[in-house]
Every structure is written in structure tokens, then in C-alpha cells.
Amino acid sequence: MAPNQGRFPKLVEGTYEMENGSVMVISRGLARESTPYPRFFNHPEIVMIEIDGTK
């Protein structure tokens, strides 16, 4: 269950390559008390992204 996405959302966590070649990173986030329902099997996380500007 995800806010504004309902049950079993398509994009939940991880990295996704977009049609334009960019990469989207989705984190599970840290929210614990702000959600109206418990986070079963969805532990909080912090994502560190290293950007390399060379091509």
C-alpha cells in the first residue's frame, strides 16, 4: 500500500531507467509515525547517491 498509489504500486523502491535515459531512484524513506498504517516488511532506509559527471 502506498499513498496516492493504492495497493501493490508499480514503482516501490530501487532504480528505474526512464525512457529519456535518465535514472530515477525511489527510496522506502524514513517515515514511521506519519503513516496511518504500519509498515509491514518495509523497513526505513536512507539512500546515498554518488553522481559522476564524466561521460
Side-chain angles (χ1 to χ4, degrees):
M1 189 74 157
N4 301 322
Q5 296 180 54
R7 294 180 186 217
F8 307 110
K10 182 178 176 183
L11 304 175
V12 179
E13 67 165 321
T15 58
Y16 300 92
E17 187 167 342
M18 308 306 288
E19 293 177 3
N20 63 2
S22 63
V23 177
M24 176 173 58
V25 177
I26 300 178
S27 167
R28 293 183 300 220
L30 294 173
R32 291 185 67 100
E33 288 78 23
S34 64
T35 57
Y37 42 85
R39 293 172 57 120
F40 294 113
F41 307 111
N42 188 8
H43 301 287
E45 72 174 352
I46 295 175
V47 175
M48 294 177 61
I49 302 170
E50 184 176 327
I51 299 173
D52 182 6
T54 60
K55 283 194 171 189

